[in-house]
Amino acid sequence: MFHSSAMVNSHRKPMFNIHTGFYCLAAILLQICVCSQFSVPSSHHFTEDPGAFPVASNGEPFPWQELRLPSVVIPLHYDLFVHPNLTSLDFVASEKIEVLVSNATQFIILHSKDLEITNATLQSEEDSRYMNSGKELKVLSYPAHQQIALLVPEKLTPHLKYYVAIDFQAKLADGFEGFYKSTYRTLGGETRILAVTDFEPTQARMAFPCFDEPLFKANFSIKIRRESRHTALSNMPKVKTIELEGGLLEDHFETTVKMSTYLVAYIVCDFHSVSGITSSGVKVSIYASPDKRNQTHYALQASLKLLDFYEKYFDINYPLPKLDLIAIPDFASGAMENWGLITYRETSLLFDPKTSSASDKLWVTKVIAHELAHQWFGNLVTMEWWNDIWLNEGFANYMELIAVNATYPELQFDDHFLNVCFEVITKDSLNSSRPISKPAETPTQIQEMFDEVSYNKGACILNMLKDFLGEEKFQKGIIQYLKKFSYRNAKNDDLWSSLSNSCLESDFTSGGVCHSDPKMTSNMLTFLGENAEVKEMMTTWTLQKGIPLLVVKQDGHSLRLQQERFLQGVFQEDPEWRALQERYLWHIPLTYSTSSSNVIHRHILKSKTDTLDLPEKTSWVKFNVDSNGYYIVHYEGHGWDQLITQLNQNHTLLRPKDRIGLIHDVFQLVGAGRLTLDKALDMTHYLQHETSSPALLKGLSYLELFYHMMDRRNISDISENLKRYLLQYFKPVIDRQSWSDEGSVWDRMLRSALLKLACDLNHAPCIQKAAELFSQWMESSGKLNIPTDVLKIVYSVGAQTTTGWNYLLEQYELSMSSAEKNKILYALSTSKHQEKLQKLIELGMEGKVIKTQDLAALLHAIARRPKGQQLAWDFVREDWTHLLKKFDLGSFAIRIIISGTTSHFSSKDKLQEVKLFFESLEAQGSHLDIFQIVLETITKNIKWLEKNLPTLRMWLLVNT
């Protein structure tokens, strides 16, 4: 799944990278379940103590009390028939489930939510063979656990197969889950309806009664009834279509491979497609609403390329005959990896050359790469339970890096990947973070697992492990893992075993060292030691939360190392600091380079402290080469001064990614109270000579962050001086930017960021040029092609006048490009007029002009503006009950709305307001992990200001 980082950054993924644009708001926002497969208590307890069991909706005892299903009945095959009516917005359906009974039982427990069951019968294998009618089953319902019980007249016999037939019906859902309705507007202004599914993690039960847990893999044979003007799609190719009376058609689809319920998908729509064939003969099609078919060509090219790449990389052919990718007009996340029928938000799949920017292209490519990786990681091999969802999502995020680098090297994706790790460090350095692998039982807890810890941290520790084992060894291990567990389920330890065994089984030399490369240096051999114990190392990263801080002190020829837990907002002098450090220890695969040679040295730090000897005198040491490791580094003594001196004298002696890592770490250390802000700001002086766009963008992002923090708090002397400093100091590089789409992807992203910053700071030449382009665009009735990389900037400047704002809203409604609509919506949210911002929120709640799927990103954008922050916060508090009617409590959208409208606060008054609001929600029974994360983030912001405001004020006085 890609949660889009909305306006901040999201794939089921979390939907808006700060540099990526409006839709991309990654939620910047497991003691492991060691149960063996299907080990759940058997069912005979029911008869022993009926008093211990819950009460069904009809008042009778319900025979099962656990949230997890019993394992006594296992599904093998579902025959599913669905007939949606797109006029009355409901569906009728029936299913026949072939099940295997492992222990004698008098009931079958399935999941079902909001479905009206009209009939249920049971046939034995013998009944089925002789066409005997089934026995009627009594159906009990327990909505609190989203379960139904089918009570059988006589006990089911172990080791026999039975057939459960159920007839049911329901309305098409209003939200974004289960089997729901979506709408789109044609160029001619007509509204059309489609019916679409979205089941991950626990929503298949809203579409058909089923064993809705990832371990219960089965085959599915699907039939869909429709009108002739519509097309039906499902996971597999269509086998035949039968014509029925009254002009209805019934499509029969091939039986699926063995898979989990959350991957089932079916859609009834009138979309058009473009298709191509991969080198191994898989038919790939991209579907979109008819007026958007011309925006599907890039996705087709990328999908064909990426599918070919994955088949070779994993050494496993994609197992289905076809793969469809479809752009859904209403979609909660960024995309969903349903096997053979991947669903996308339009912004994650469609590319319009006239309105899609360089960062839009990067976004579309990475989301396609993410979802295609899931066809192996997640679909072919699935985690046993949701506590290990990172095995799906962390891997898919990691494979974006490998696949996009290999297929689209010009996108320079590995520079972008650093931000994947930096984003999650913001959360992981709070005490309220969580381990990658953690227990989750209720649907809300499971939904909350889809966060940046699973996605981003999962990907970053895999990248660190790849760097440790070597690329070839790592690839061998994951191929072994995928082949061993194909069509099955796996857990954390299974992955570590495969990665260890890729060394142990075939590659150990007599010295007991795993060679991944004949050119391996002796340092690497020492580093791997006598036993590269992958599991021992990696459990320190998956079973404990947080991120380590490596403290380095150079003393002549020796380096003294110490590891601590890195915490933002809790300082060493605080009374709670010591307790928060206890029992944390990581096995850290360290890398470092020195001023005296290009060699990458390696060492595993397994203890709290250690000492390393340097072979020669060196003026500086830099740890975490290329930022491949998931840790922060602090250089005690003169360590930072030596590195800053080197950056000022000749920054190119340090690798570009090392320069980005230094900028990141120095500002993180300020937040942890380990460095003074002036030291970090002094480092930014060298940026005027920086030639690497990603490094320049990283440095600028911190200065811009401080500016917006001061602007929101109305600390005007500092915000004005910061504005002056930025425009004075970066004027040469700002003035060099052309208003065009020329250059490499990073040249283009730098242009977008710099010109946006210049116009945000009211830089006269920027405002003038943007206003001029906006006027020309308006005069051309929106026909003028403005360079895509500056489109958002031009719209934002245009939105500052009432005429411009109103015109943009009109164009928003008419636009056929979701990439353009995102840019317009962002621009509209920058208005300084509260009544205009209020109107946007109302339109988002109404869901017609501004779709409900965009409400979270819209609120986030409004809340980040001085004129909008109070408005957005008041709206969330006052309209909370209405928001919960549109989004599930644990949904990504609700989490983005909460953090997006509160986590930038930096005053004690606001902290108190937020605390009271969360307490009132908890009193009503609503609890989310995000509450504690937000409270800690606001506390951290308050402490940052208290500690650093005088320093920032003084530094600016000296430097402007």
Side-chain angles (χ1 to χ4, degrees):
M1 197 192 272
F2 196 98
H3 274 316
S4 66
S5 292
M7 290 191 247
V8 233
N9 177 26
S10 169
H11 281 341
R12 223 166 186 101
K13 271 204 153 161
M15 235 157 6
F16 155 81
N17 190 308
I18 234 105
H19 300 307
T20 309
F22 196 80
Y23 52 85
C24 259
L25 198 29
I28 295 197
L29 259 144
L30 300 167
Q31 253 121 11
I32 301 214
C33 166
V34 246
C35 27
S36 66
Q37 192 138 336
F38 299 127
S39 61
V40 183
S42 86
S43 60
H44 66 269
H45 299 306
F46 173 49
T47 46
E48 290 173 11
D49 182 11
F53 285 82
V55 178
S57 49
N58 69 349
E60 295 183 28
F62 188 80
W64 188 249
Q65 59 190 2
E66 307 291 331
L67 269 165
R68 297 277 293 271
L69 298 181
S71 59
V72 291
V73 177
I74 295 162
L76 303 174
H77 179 266
Y78 293 75
D79 257 313
L80 178 62
F81 161 81
V82 186
H83 179 196
N85 185 325
L86 300 194
T87 309
S88 56
L89 302 179
D90 51 19
F91 67 92
V92 292
S94 61
E95 66 182 350
K96 189 175 189 177
I97 312 172
E98 180 186 352
V99 299
L100 178 66
V101 174
S102 61
N103 288 328
T105 180
Q106 274 200 279
F107 56 83
I108 299 169
I109 307 292
L110 297 94
H111 287 110
S112 177
K113 183 185 177 191
D114 300 334
L115 298 173
E116 184 194 337
I117 292 167
T118 52
N119 192 42
T121 60
L122 180 79
Q123 283 181 308
S124 65
E125 218 167 355
E126 197 178 356
D127 290 336
S128 178
R129 197 175 306 124
Y130 296 114
M131 311 288 282
N132 295 339
S133 61
K135 298 179 181 71
E136 288 280 331
L137 298 176
K138 181 169 185 175
V139 182
L140 296 179
S141 172
Y142 187 49
H145 285 182
Q146 303 173 357
Q147 291 171 356
I148 55 169
L150 307 177
L151 306 186
V152 298
E154 49 202 58
K155 274 195 177 178
L156 302 181
T157 312
H159 315 304
L160 290 189
K161 287 180 188 172
Y162 292 84
Y163 297 89
V164 178
I166 304 175
D167 298 330
F168 55 98
Q169 59 192 32
K171 299 290 280 181
L172 287 171
D174 275 331
F176 304 94
E177 298 173 332
F179 193 23
Y180 70 94
K181 72 169 192 295
S182 173
T183 61
Y184 72 93
R185 196 181 55 79
T186 66
L187 258 177
E190 180 195 349
T191 297
R192 293 188 185 169
I193 294 172
L194 57 146
V196 58
T197 58
D198 193 49
F199 292 162
E200 189 179 29
T202 58
Q203 282 88 39
R205 63 194 68 171
M206 293 174 69
F208 58 100
C210 56
F211 297 81
D212 199 11
E213 293 177 5
L215 212 48
F216 290 109
K217 289 192 171 188
N219 304 95
F220 297 82
S221 302
I222 293 171
K223 301 181 183 72
I224 297 178
R225 201 169 283 182
R226 61 177 170 90
E227 292 178 48
S228 57
R229 64 196 169 104
H230 289 131
T231 302
L233 300 170
S234 188
N235 303 83
M236 300 298 285
K238 196 161 58 176
V239 184
K240 63 178 177 184
T241 299
I242 298 168
E243 289 193 32
L244 306 168
E245 286 177 21
L248 287 176
L249 301 174
E250 189 173 287
D251 294 326
H252 294 211
F253 296 90
E254 262 181 50
T255 300
T256 68
V257 294
K258 197 175 172 192
M259 65 187 200
S260 302
T261 47
Y262 77 87
L263 294 169
V264 173
Y266 40 89
I267 296 168
V268 175
C269 63
D270 65 347
F271 284 10
H272 292 182
S273 66
V274 297
S275 301
I277 307 283
T278 65
S279 55
S280 63
V282 178
K283 184 183 179 184
V284 176
S285 305
I286 315 292
Y287 284 84
S289 59
D291 296 320
K292 296 180 182 178
R293 185 171 176 271
N294 63 341
Q295 298 174 42
T296 56
H297 299 288
Y298 177 70
L300 179 61
Q301 173 210 326
S303 305
L304 290 167
K305 229 176 177 181
L306 285 158
L307 201 63
D308 275 341
F309 168 78
Y310 283 135
E311 288 194 322
K312 291 187 185 77
Y313 186 89
F314 294 135
D315 191 34
I316 300 170
N317 280 345
Y318 172 75
L320 311 186
K322 64 91 176 174
L323 175 61
D324 298 332
L325 296 81
I326 180 167
I328 305 297
D330 301 275
F331 203 72
S333 61
M336 175 59 211
E337 66 265 20
N338 318 298
W339 216 343
L341 178 55
I342 308 176
T343 43
Y344 291 78
R345 188 179 274 236
E346 289 185 335
T347 43
S348 301
L349 187 67
L350 303 181
F351 183 84
D352 174 25
K354 286 185 178 158
T355 58
S356 296
S357 64
S359 53
D360 292 333
K361 179 175 265 192
L362 183 68
W363 179 256
V364 168
T365 314
K366 76 181 238 154
V367 182
I368 293 173
H370 182 99
E371 302 308 327
L372 264 58
H374 272 313
Q375 307 303 295
W376 286 265
F377 277 102
N379 300 9
L380 185 65
V381 179
T382 311
M383 73 278 137
E384 276 192 10
W385 183 249
W386 301 106
N387 60 316
D388 277 337
I389 185 59
W390 83 274
L391 288 174
N392 283 19
E393 299 302 348
F395 249 113
N397 256 23
Y398 167 74
M399 288 310 301
E400 290 171 26
L401 171 68
I402 303 304
V404 177
N405 269 350
T407 52
Y408 288 94
E410 69 276 13
L411 292 179
Q412 296 169 272
F413 190 76
D414 52 344
D415 286 319
H416 174 83
F417 188 78
L418 295 183
N419 286 325
V420 169
C421 304
F422 295 159
E423 271 168 20
V424 69
I425 287 170
T426 307
K427 172 177 175 175
D428 210 23
S429 55
L430 298 174
N431 189 42
S432 52
S433 187
R434 66 168 181 85
I436 284 180
S437 195
K438 126 179 203 222
E441 294 299 328
T442 69
T444 298
Q445 287 168 352
I446 290 165
Q447 277 184 312
E448 286 189 281
M449 293 295 287
F450 290 81
D451 68 354
E452 57 271 47
V453 172
S454 291
Y455 285 82
N456 298 30
K457 185 176 180 179
C460 297
I461 67 163
L462 288 170
N463 186 52
M464 176 170 69
L465 181 58
K466 184 257 319 218
D467 185 59
F468 164 68
L469 290 176
E471 196 138 1
E472 187 192 336
K473 196 67 49 192
F474 187 79
Q475 185 181 351
K476 267 189 188 173
I478 60 177
I479 290 170
Q480 186 187 85
Y481 168 78
L482 288 171
K483 288 184 172 175
K484 182 173 181 180
F485 294 98
S486 286
Y487 304 105
R488 292 166 57 204
N489 298 74
K491 52 188 183 295
N492 256 338
D493 285 0
D494 298 321
L495 176 63
W496 308 143
S497 299
S498 294
L499 287 163
S500 302
N501 292 344
S502 74
C503 282
L504 301 175
E505 285 168 12
S506 54
D507 299 302
F508 269 97
T509 62
S510 55
V513 175
C514 168
H515 288 275
S516 56
D517 186 339
K519 299 188 286 294
M520 241 179 180
T521 64
S522 58
N523 285 304
M524 182 57 148
L525 299 184
T526 320
F527 162 60
L528 284 168
E530 297 196 354
N531 242 322
E533 188 46 81
V534 173
K535 180 185 169 183
E536 186 191 1
M537 179 170 91
M538 293 312 291
T539 50
T540 71
W541 297 94
T542 56
L543 298 188
Q544 63 183 348
K545 64 184 178 181
I547 177 170
L549 170 67
L550 175 71
V551 182
V552 180
K553 179 85 184 282
Q554 189 177 345
D555 192 359
H557 279 257
S558 70
L559 291 172
R560 288 209 301 275
L561 309 179
Q562 182 178 326
Q563 64 162 296
E564 299 171 5
R565 179 184 175 196
F566 180 70
L567 288 165
Q568 287 265 19
V570 184
F571 305 142
Q572 270 181 310
E573 59 269 25
D574 292 343
E576 67 268 34
W577 188 84
R578 189 156 300 285
L580 293 173
Q581 293 292 331
E582 277 175 20
R583 293 191 305 281
Y584 280 86
L585 183 72
W586 287 266
H587 291 190
I588 313 173
L590 301 177
T591 54
Y592 62 98
S593 60
T594 70
S595 60
S596 47
S597 84
N598 286 327
V599 175
I600 299 174
H601 304 270
R602 295 177 182 269
H603 176 73
I604 300 184
L605 180 63
K606 293 184 177 183
S607 51
K608 280 280 188 190
T609 58
D610 208 345
T611 305
L612 296 178
D613 292 325
L614 291 169
E616 53 203 325
K617 194 171 181 343
T618 181
S619 57
W620 52 261
V621 177
K622 163 68 178 68
F623 274 80
N624 199 2
V625 176
D626 279 339
S627 297
N628 280 321
Y630 188 74
Y631 55 95
I632 304 273
V633 187
H634 176 40
Y635 304 92
E636 284 196 333
H638 297 296
W640 278 110
D641 294 331
Q642 289 160 345
L643 287 162
I644 292 169
T645 302
Q646 182 62 67
L647 287 171
N648 285 320
Q649 285 173 357
N650 179 4
H651 63 275
T652 62
L653 286 188
L654 286 151
R655 299 154 179 257
K657 284 189 198 160
D658 281 342
R659 305 199 294 268
I660 296 170
L662 286 171
I663 294 166
H664 171 263
D665 284 7
V666 81
F667 282 105
Q668 293 296 314
L669 289 161
V670 171
R674 301 302 283 263
L675 277 180
T676 56
L677 179 60
D678 52 349
K679 180 83 74 186
L681 291 168
D682 286 345
M683 183 187 276
T684 65
H685 277 317
Y686 100 91
L687 288 171
Q688 59 190 326
H689 308 296
E690 181 55 86
T691 45
S692 156
S693 295
L696 186 52
L697 278 169
K698 190 71 203 162
L700 267 171
S701 71
Y702 283 106
L703 297 171
E704 202 176 343
L705 187 76
F706 301 153
Y707 169 75
H708 288 302
M709 187 190 265
M710 299 305 136
D711 193 31
R712 275 195 299 266
R713 283 295 304 275
N714 198 23
I715 306 172
S716 52
D717 64 316
I718 297 185
S719 62
E720 283 306 309
N721 280 340
L722 249 174
K723 182 193 290 192
R724 193 174 308 122
Y725 175 76
L726 283 161
L727 290 175
Q728 174 190 315
Y729 207 73
F730 294 99
K731 186 176 188 297
V733 67
I734 290 169
D735 290 347
R736 279 202 302 275
Q737 303 307 312
S738 62
W739 292 68
S740 70
D741 283 342
E742 290 157 11
S744 73
V745 69
W746 280 102
D747 292 340
R748 294 178 63 183
M749 292 206 284
L750 179 68
R751 171 186 303 126
S752 294
L754 281 172
L755 292 177
K756 179 182 178 297
L757 174 64
C759 280
D760 277 354
L761 298 177
N762 280 318
H763 184 45
C766 184
I767 299 284
Q768 198 178 327
K769 178 69 177 175
E772 190 185 307
L773 284 169
F774 186 77
S775 296
Q776 292 169 8
W777 179 70
M778 264 181 78
E779 282 159 22
S780 74
S781 301
K783 301 285 186 291
L784 176 75
N785 283 343
I786 296 170
T788 61
D789 294 335
V790 297
L791 204 49
K792 187 158 78 169
I793 300 155
V794 171
Y795 290 163
S796 297
V797 170
Q800 301 315 307
T801 68
T802 297
T803 314
W805 196 90
N806 290 335
Y807 184 71
L808 279 165
L809 188 55
E810 284 168 32
Q811 289 301 118
Y812 181 83
E813 215 170 334
L814 296 171
S815 175
M816 279 292 143
S817 158
S818 48
E820 179 180 42
K821 289 181 85 128
N822 261 334
K823 294 173 182 64
I824 294 176
L825 192 54
Y826 174 83
L828 291 168
S829 77
T830 64
S831 171
K832 294 178 176 64
H833 297 284
Q834 292 216 335
E835 70 281 3
K836 290 187 169 66
L837 299 177
Q838 183 65 45
K839 183 175 183 179
L840 291 178
I841 294 174
E842 285 163 9
L843 289 172
M845 283 297 279
E846 187 190 11
K848 288 179 183 151
V849 176
I850 297 173
K851 284 189 168 284
T852 305
Q853 67 172 11
D854 297 316
L855 182 62
L858 174 65
L859 285 167
H860 183 280
I862 290 172
R864 288 302 190 261
R865 296 270 157 184
K867 297 289 182 200
Q869 54 181 345
Q870 191 60 41
L871 183 75
W873 170 225
D874 288 344
F875 165 76
V876 170
R877 286 185 293 176
E878 288 158 19
D879 283 73
W880 180 252
T881 49
H882 294 120
L883 285 169
L884 282 189
K885 285 175 187 159
K886 295 188 177 293
F887 307 106
D888 260 13
L889 178 66
S891 67
F892 186 70
I894 285 289
R895 285 178 279 146
I896 286 298
I897 288 168
I898 290 171
S899 67
T901 55
T902 57
S903 60
H904 58 285
F905 288 147
S906 55
S907 72
K908 287 178 177 170
D909 290 351
K910 283 284 174 275
L911 175 63
Q912 192 55 27
E913 283 179 22
V914 174
K915 210 171 184 174
L916 288 171
F917 177 59
F918 290 167
E919 282 169 4
S920 73
L921 296 184
E922 293 195 320
Q924 297 160 34
S926 300
H927 172 76
L928 292 174
D929 291 346
I930 194 78
F931 295 169
Q932 191 53 37
I933 293 164
V934 165
L935 293 173
E936 252 189 82
T937 303
I938 299 171
T939 305
K940 176 187 84 173
N941 297 343
I942 293 167
K943 290 180 79 167
W944 192 96
L945 280 176
E946 284 172 354
K947 198 172 184 81
N948 297 302
L949 206 56
T951 310
L952 180 56
R953 185 173 272 122
M954 185 56 68
W955 189 88
L956 285 166
L957 288 173
V958 171
N959 286 277
T960 50

